[in-house]
Short mmCIF file of all heavy atoms in Angstrom, two decimals:
data_model
loop_
_atom_site.label_atom_id
_atom_site.label_comp_id
_atom_site.label_asym_id
_atom_site.label_seq_id
_atom_site.Cartn_x
_atom_site.Cartn_y
_atom_site.Cartn_z
N ALA F 113 0.75 -1.26 0.01
CA ALA F 113 0.02 0.05 -0.04
C ALA F 113 0.94 1.24 0.07
O ALA F 113 0.47 2.34 -0.60
CB ALA F 113 -0.94 0.04 1.16
N ALA F 114 1.96 1.22 0.70
CA ALA F 114 2.92 2.32 0.77
C ALA F 114 3.42 2.63 -0.73
O ALA F 114 3.56 3.73 -1.15
CB ALA F 114 4.06 2.19 1.77
N VAL F 115 3.84 1.57 -1.37
CA VAL F 115 4.37 1.80 -2.83
C VAL F 115 3.22 2.31 -3.68
O VAL F 115 3.50 3.21 -4.37
CB VAL F 115 4.86 0.46 -3.26
CG1 VAL F 115 5.21 0.53 -4.79
CG2 VAL F 115 6.04 -0.06 -2.51
N ALA F 116 2.10 1.72 -3.52
CA ALA F 116 0.92 2.19 -4.33
C ALA F 116 0.64 3.77 -4.06
O ALA F 116 0.49 4.51 -5.02
CB ALA F 116 -0.34 1.44 -3.98
N ALA F 117 0.65 4.17 -2.82
CA ALA F 117 0.31 5.58 -2.45
C ALA F 117 1.38 6.42 -3.05
O ALA F 117 1.10 7.58 -3.43
CB ALA F 117 0.16 5.69 -0.99
N GLY F 118 2.65 5.91 -2.97
CA GLY F 118 3.72 6.67 -3.57
C GLY F 118 3.59 6.92 -5.03
O GLY F 118 4.13 7.87 -5.59
N TYR F 119 2.79 6.11 -5.76
CA TYR F 119 2.56 6.30 -7.10
C TYR F 119 1.23 7.00 -7.50
O TYR F 119 0.79 7.08 -8.67
CB TYR F 119 2.56 4.92 -7.84
CG TYR F 119 3.93 4.31 -8.20
CD1 TYR F 119 4.16 3.07 -7.72
CD2 TYR F 119 4.87 5.07 -8.94
CE1 TYR F 119 5.43 2.51 -8.14
CE2 TYR F 119 6.12 4.44 -9.19
CZ TYR F 119 6.38 3.19 -8.83
OH TYR F 119 7.61 2.63 -9.16
N GLY F 120 0.57 7.44 -6.43
CA GLY F 120 -0.66 8.11 -6.63
C GLY F 120 -1.79 7.07 -6.89
O GLY F 120 -2.98 7.59 -7.29
N ILE F 121 -1.62 5.85 -6.46
CA ILE F 121 -2.69 4.93 -6.61
C ILE F 121 -3.54 5.01 -5.31
O ILE F 121 -3.10 4.86 -4.19
CB ILE F 121 -2.12 3.51 -6.76
CG1 ILE F 121 -1.37 3.34 -8.12
CG2 ILE F 121 -3.28 2.28 -6.58
CD1 ILE F 121 -0.61 2.04 -8.23
N THR F 122 -4.81 5.26 -5.44
CA THR F 122 -5.66 5.29 -4.22
C THR F 122 -6.67 4.08 -4.14
O THR F 122 -7.25 4.03 -3.10
CB THR F 122 -6.49 6.59 -4.44
OG1 THR F 122 -7.21 6.64 -5.61
CG2 THR F 122 -5.53 7.84 -4.33
N THR F 123 -6.71 3.33 -5.20
CA THR F 123 -7.46 2.03 -5.04
C THR F 123 -6.72 0.88 -5.77
O THR F 123 -6.17 1.13 -6.86
CB THR F 123 -8.86 2.19 -5.80
OG1 THR F 123 -9.65 3.11 -5.12
CG2 THR F 123 -9.66 0.91 -5.81
N MET F 124 -6.72 -0.23 -5.04
CA MET F 124 -6.03 -1.39 -5.66
C MET F 124 -7.27 -2.46 -5.70
O MET F 124 -7.87 -2.74 -4.61
CB MET F 124 -4.94 -1.92 -4.78
CG MET F 124 -3.77 -0.98 -4.74
SD MET F 124 -2.35 -1.79 -3.84
CE MET F 124 -3.03 -2.07 -2.22
N GLN F 125 -7.46 -3.02 -6.91
CA GLN F 125 -8.40 -4.13 -6.97
C GLN F 125 -7.51 -5.39 -7.02
O GLN F 125 -6.74 -5.64 -8.04
CB GLN F 125 -9.27 -4.04 -8.28
CG GLN F 125 -10.12 -2.73 -8.21
CD GLN F 125 -10.99 -2.55 -9.43
OE1 GLN F 125 -11.66 -3.55 -9.92
NE2 GLN F 125 -11.14 -1.37 -9.99
N LEU F 126 -7.52 -6.18 -5.88
CA LEU F 126 -6.60 -7.31 -5.78
C LEU F 126 -7.24 -8.64 -5.83
O LEU F 126 -8.22 -8.96 -5.17
CB LEU F 126 -5.88 -7.11 -4.40
CG LEU F 126 -5.01 -5.92 -4.18
CD1 LEU F 126 -4.37 -5.84 -2.80
CD2 LEU F 126 -3.95 -5.82 -5.29
N PHE F 127 -6.60 -9.43 -6.61
CA PHE F 127 -6.81 -10.91 -6.57
C PHE F 127 -5.80 -11.57 -5.61
O PHE F 127 -4.57 -11.12 -5.58
CB PHE F 127 -6.70 -11.59 -7.92
CG PHE F 127 -7.50 -10.96 -9.00
CD1 PHE F 127 -7.05 -10.00 -9.85
CD2 PHE F 127 -8.91 -11.19 -9.00
CE1 PHE F 127 -7.78 -9.40 -10.79
CE2 PHE F 127 -9.68 -10.59 -10.01
CZ PHE F 127 -9.09 -9.68 -10.88
N THR F 128 -6.24 -12.57 -4.86
CA THR F 128 -5.24 -13.17 -3.93
C THR F 128 -5.58 -14.78 -3.83
O THR F 128 -6.74 -15.09 -4.08
CB THR F 128 -5.25 -12.65 -2.52
OG1 THR F 128 -4.30 -13.26 -1.69
CG2 THR F 128 -6.72 -12.80 -1.96
N ILE F 129 -4.61 -15.44 -3.54
CA ILE F 129 -4.80 -16.90 -3.39
C ILE F 129 -5.24 -17.19 -1.96
O ILE F 129 -5.62 -18.37 -1.68
CB ILE F 129 -3.45 -17.64 -3.78
CG1 ILE F 129 -3.74 -19.03 -4.31
CG2 ILE F 129 -2.48 -17.63 -2.50
CD1 ILE F 129 -4.29 -19.03 -5.67
N LEU F 130 -5.16 -16.28 -1.05
CA LEU F 130 -5.64 -16.42 0.25
C LEU F 130 -7.17 -16.61 0.23
O LEU F 130 -7.77 -16.13 -0.56
CB LEU F 130 -5.26 -15.23 1.07
CG LEU F 130 -3.86 -14.83 1.46
CD1 LEU F 130 -3.75 -13.54 2.09
CD2 LEU F 130 -3.27 -15.84 2.46
N PRO F 131 -7.61 -17.50 1.21
CA PRO F 131 -9.00 -17.56 1.39
C PRO F 131 -9.73 -16.19 1.65
O PRO F 131 -9.09 -15.34 2.23
CB PRO F 131 -9.17 -18.43 2.58
CG PRO F 131 -7.94 -19.24 2.83
CD PRO F 131 -6.91 -18.24 2.19
N THR F 132 -10.67 -15.94 0.89
CA THR F 132 -11.27 -14.53 0.88
C THR F 132 -11.58 -14.00 2.21
O THR F 132 -11.31 -12.83 2.60
CB THR F 132 -12.54 -14.36 0.00
OG1 THR F 132 -12.17 -14.93 -1.28
CG2 THR F 132 -12.93 -13.04 -0.11
N ASP F 133 -12.17 -14.85 3.22
CA ASP F 133 -12.45 -14.37 4.49
C ASP F 133 -11.27 -13.97 5.28
O ASP F 133 -11.26 -12.97 6.00
CB ASP F 133 -13.38 -15.32 5.34
CG ASP F 133 -12.62 -16.71 5.37
OD1 ASP F 133 -11.46 -16.92 4.70
OD2 ASP F 133 -13.14 -17.58 6.15
N ARG F 134 -10.13 -14.67 5.11
CA ARG F 134 -8.92 -14.32 5.82
C ARG F 134 -8.28 -13.10 5.23
O ARG F 134 -7.96 -12.18 5.91
CB ARG F 134 -7.81 -15.44 5.74
CG ARG F 134 -6.53 -15.07 6.47
CD ARG F 134 -5.57 -16.22 6.19
NE ARG F 134 -4.29 -15.84 6.88
CZ ARG F 134 -3.04 -16.21 6.62
NH1 ARG F 134 -2.82 -17.08 5.47
NH2 ARG F 134 -2.11 -15.89 7.30
N PHE F 135 -8.33 -12.97 3.81
CA PHE F 135 -7.87 -11.80 3.26
C PHE F 135 -8.62 -10.51 3.70
O PHE F 135 -7.97 -9.42 4.05
CB PHE F 135 -7.90 -11.90 1.77
CG PHE F 135 -7.25 -10.85 0.98
CD1 PHE F 135 -6.02 -10.37 1.20
CD2 PHE F 135 -7.90 -10.29 -0.21
CE1 PHE F 135 -5.47 -9.40 0.48
CE2 PHE F 135 -7.32 -9.32 -0.98
CZ PHE F 135 -6.11 -8.83 -0.58
N VAL F 136 -9.93 -10.51 3.72
CA VAL F 136 -10.69 -9.36 4.07
C VAL F 136 -10.38 -8.97 5.62
O VAL F 136 -10.32 -7.83 5.91
CB VAL F 136 -12.17 -9.69 3.81
CG1 VAL F 136 -13.07 -8.56 4.48
CG2 VAL F 136 -12.39 -9.76 2.30
N ARG F 137 -10.28 -10.07 6.41
CA ARG F 137 -10.08 -9.82 7.79
C ARG F 137 -8.82 -9.07 8.08
O ARG F 137 -8.61 -8.11 8.74
CB ARG F 137 -10.13 -11.21 8.62
CG ARG F 137 -9.69 -10.97 10.12
CD ARG F 137 -9.90 -12.33 10.80
NE ARG F 137 -9.12 -13.49 10.18
CZ ARG F 137 -7.86 -13.68 10.38
NH1 ARG F 137 -7.09 -12.85 11.24
NH2 ARG F 137 -7.15 -14.71 9.95
N LEU F 138 -7.67 -9.54 7.27
CA LEU F 138 -6.32 -8.96 7.53
C LEU F 138 -6.28 -7.56 6.77
O LEU F 138 -5.61 -6.68 7.28
CB LEU F 138 -5.34 -9.84 6.85
CG LEU F 138 -5.27 -11.29 7.56
CD1 LEU F 138 -4.11 -12.12 6.91
CD2 LEU F 138 -4.96 -11.02 9.06
N LEU F 139 -7.06 -7.37 5.72
CA LEU F 139 -7.09 -6.03 5.14
C LEU F 139 -7.72 -5.03 6.11
O LEU F 139 -7.21 -3.86 6.19
CB LEU F 139 -7.94 -5.95 3.81
CG LEU F 139 -7.33 -6.51 2.53
CD1 LEU F 139 -8.31 -6.73 1.38
CD2 LEU F 139 -6.23 -5.59 2.06
N THR F 140 -8.75 -5.42 6.77
CA THR F 140 -9.51 -4.57 7.73
C THR F 140 -8.48 -4.27 8.90
O THR F 140 -8.31 -3.07 9.32
CB THR F 140 -10.69 -5.21 8.30
OG1 THR F 140 -11.56 -5.50 7.20
CG2 THR F 140 -11.38 -4.38 9.25
N GLN F 141 -7.67 -5.30 9.33
CA GLN F 141 -6.69 -5.02 10.45
C GLN F 141 -5.63 -4.18 10.04
O GLN F 141 -5.02 -3.41 10.89
CB GLN F 141 -6.20 -6.44 10.93
CG GLN F 141 -7.29 -7.32 11.69
CD GLN F 141 -6.68 -8.57 12.09
OE1 GLN F 141 -5.44 -8.79 12.27
NE2 GLN F 141 -7.54 -9.52 12.41
N ALA F 142 -5.18 -4.31 8.78
CA ALA F 142 -3.99 -3.53 8.27
C ALA F 142 -4.32 -2.08 8.24
O ALA F 142 -3.41 -1.27 8.34
CB ALA F 142 -3.60 -4.01 6.94
N ASN F 143 -5.61 -1.64 8.07
CA ASN F 143 -5.93 -0.15 8.00
C ASN F 143 -5.09 0.62 7.08
O ASN F 143 -4.35 1.60 7.37
CB ASN F 143 -5.94 0.24 9.50
CG ASN F 143 -6.48 1.79 9.51
OD1 ASN F 143 -7.47 1.95 8.68
ND2 ASN F 143 -6.05 2.59 10.42
N LEU F 144 -5.12 0.19 5.81
CA LEU F 144 -4.22 0.79 4.77
C LEU F 144 -4.65 2.15 4.42
O LEU F 144 -5.82 2.59 4.57
CB LEU F 144 -4.30 -0.19 3.55
CG LEU F 144 -3.86 -1.69 3.76
CD1 LEU F 144 -3.96 -2.46 2.56
CD2 LEU F 144 -2.51 -1.82 4.41
N PRO F 145 -3.71 2.96 3.94
CA PRO F 145 -4.02 4.35 3.48
C PRO F 145 -4.71 4.39 2.05
O PRO F 145 -4.95 5.42 1.56
CB PRO F 145 -2.59 4.93 3.43
CG PRO F 145 -1.74 3.83 3.08
CD PRO F 145 -2.29 2.57 3.79
N VAL F 146 -4.86 3.22 1.43
CA VAL F 146 -5.52 3.15 0.15
C VAL F 146 -6.80 2.28 0.20
O VAL F 146 -6.90 1.54 1.15
CB VAL F 146 -4.53 2.70 -0.95
CG1 VAL F 146 -3.40 3.55 -1.08
CG2 VAL F 146 -4.18 1.24 -0.68
N ARG F 147 -7.60 2.42 -0.74
CA ARG F 147 -8.77 1.52 -0.80
C ARG F 147 -8.50 0.23 -1.46
O ARG F 147 -7.61 0.29 -2.48
CB ARG F 147 -9.94 2.24 -1.51
CG ARG F 147 -10.27 3.59 -1.05
CD ARG F 147 -11.43 4.35 -1.72
NE ARG F 147 -11.44 5.71 -1.47
CZ ARG F 147 -11.87 6.22 -0.30
NH1 ARG F 147 -12.39 5.48 0.49
NH2 ARG F 147 -11.81 7.61 -0.19
N VAL F 148 -9.04 -0.77 -0.99
CA VAL F 148 -8.82 -2.20 -1.58
C VAL F 148 -10.10 -2.82 -1.90
O VAL F 148 -10.95 -2.88 -1.00
CB VAL F 148 -7.89 -3.08 -0.77
CG1 VAL F 148 -7.83 -4.51 -1.33
CG2 VAL F 148 -6.56 -2.40 -0.45
N HIS F 149 -10.27 -3.28 -3.14
CA HIS F 149 -11.41 -4.08 -3.56
C HIS F 149 -10.92 -5.38 -3.67
O HIS F 149 -10.30 -5.73 -4.63
CB HIS F 149 -12.00 -3.44 -4.86
CG HIS F 149 -13.35 -3.94 -5.09
ND1 HIS F 149 -14.32 -3.25 -5.87
CD2 HIS F 149 -14.02 -5.11 -4.82
CE1 HIS F 149 -15.50 -3.98 -5.93
NE2 HIS F 149 -15.28 -5.08 -5.38
N ALA F 150 -11.15 -6.30 -2.84
CA ALA F 150 -10.84 -7.77 -2.75
C ALA F 150 -11.68 -8.50 -3.90
O ALA F 150 -12.87 -8.33 -3.74
CB ALA F 150 -10.98 -8.43 -1.43
N ARG F 151 -11.09 -9.19 -4.76
CA ARG F 151 -11.64 -9.93 -5.82
C ARG F 151 -11.53 -11.47 -5.59
O ARG F 151 -10.40 -11.92 -5.80
CB ARG F 151 -11.10 -9.44 -7.12
CG ARG F 151 -11.27 -7.97 -7.51
CD ARG F 151 -12.81 -7.61 -7.52
NE ARG F 151 -13.08 -6.45 -8.39
CZ ARG F 151 -14.35 -6.05 -8.59
NH1 ARG F 151 -15.33 -6.82 -8.31
NH2 ARG F 151 -14.42 -4.94 -9.38
N PRO F 152 -12.43 -12.10 -5.19
CA PRO F 152 -12.21 -13.57 -4.92
C PRO F 152 -11.80 -14.37 -6.06
O PRO F 152 -12.27 -14.18 -7.30
CB PRO F 152 -13.67 -13.95 -4.44
CG PRO F 152 -14.30 -12.81 -3.83
CD PRO F 152 -13.77 -11.66 -4.72
N PHE F 153 -10.88 -15.28 -5.87
CA PHE F 153 -10.28 -16.09 -6.89
C PHE F 153 -10.39 -17.50 -6.42
O PHE F 153 -9.46 -18.15 -5.85
CB PHE F 153 -8.88 -15.63 -7.01
CG PHE F 153 -8.01 -16.54 -8.12
CD1 PHE F 153 -8.61 -17.21 -9.04
CD2 PHE F 153 -6.67 -16.43 -8.05
CE1 PHE F 153 -7.90 -17.86 -9.92
CE2 PHE F 153 -5.87 -17.13 -8.93
CZ PHE F 153 -6.44 -17.88 -9.91
N PRO F 154 -11.51 -18.25 -6.63
CA PRO F 154 -11.65 -19.56 -6.09
C PRO F 154 -10.93 -20.51 -6.87
O PRO F 154 -10.56 -20.38 -8.00
CB PRO F 154 -13.21 -19.78 -6.26
CG PRO F 154 -13.63 -18.94 -7.31
CD PRO F 154 -12.80 -17.67 -7.18
N LEU F 155 -10.56 -21.66 -6.16
CA LEU F 155 -9.80 -22.75 -6.69
C LEU F 155 -10.61 -23.96 -7.19
O LEU F 155 -11.84 -23.87 -7.09
CB LEU F 155 -8.72 -23.21 -5.80
CG LEU F 155 -7.67 -22.05 -5.43
CD1 LEU F 155 -6.66 -22.56 -4.40
CD2 LEU F 155 -6.97 -21.52 -6.63
N THR F 156 -9.95 -25.00 -7.57
CA THR F 156 -10.66 -26.23 -7.99
C THR F 156 -10.10 -27.45 -7.31
O THR F 156 -8.86 -27.41 -6.80
CB THR F 156 -10.63 -26.33 -9.56
OG1 THR F 156 -9.32 -26.70 -9.90
CG2 THR F 156 -11.20 -25.15 -10.20
N THR F 157 -10.88 -28.58 -7.41
CA THR F 157 -10.31 -29.93 -6.99
C THR F 157 -10.61 -30.89 -8.05
O THR F 157 -11.16 -30.50 -9.10
CB THR F 157 -11.06 -30.30 -5.77
OG1 THR F 157 -12.46 -30.73 -6.11
CG2 THR F 157 -11.15 -29.24 -4.63
N PRO F 158 -10.10 -32.09 -7.96
CA PRO F 158 -10.50 -33.07 -8.98
C PRO F 158 -11.97 -33.23 -9.12
O PRO F 158 -12.45 -33.69 -10.20
CB PRO F 158 -9.84 -34.41 -8.43
CG PRO F 158 -8.64 -33.90 -7.66
CD PRO F 158 -9.25 -32.74 -6.96
N GLN F 159 -12.76 -32.92 -8.14
CA GLN F 159 -14.22 -33.05 -8.23
C GLN F 159 -14.92 -31.84 -8.78
O GLN F 159 -16.02 -32.00 -9.23
CB GLN F 159 -14.79 -33.23 -6.80
CG GLN F 159 -14.46 -34.65 -6.25
CD GLN F 159 -13.05 -34.78 -5.82
OE1 GLN F 159 -12.44 -33.80 -5.19
NE2 GLN F 159 -12.30 -35.83 -6.17
#
């Protein structure tokens, strides 16, 4: 987020391999200086 803010980025739309509920919880705890739109990226199994 610090790098983003230094470039004038005020919103990041992020995909992550982390489970979405964990990612959102940690984003909230991090209290970043930029806005983040978490974009869920579900995985697959053989089924």
Side-chain angles (χ1 to χ4, degrees):
V115 173
Y119 279 127
I121 296 170
T122 54
T123 296
M124 297 186 296
Q125 300 182 44
L126 293 181
F127 304 101
T128 183
I129 212 69
L130 291 169
T132 305
D133 56 352
R134 183 187 180 203
F135 186 46
V136 169
R137 173 174 58 83
L138 296 180
L139 279 171
T140 302
Q141 292 178 19
N143 191 28
L144 303 179
V146 299
R147 306 180 197 281
V148 176
H149 195 150
R151 297 301 202 171
F153 179 20
L155 297 178
T156 67
T157 69
Q159 290 71 45

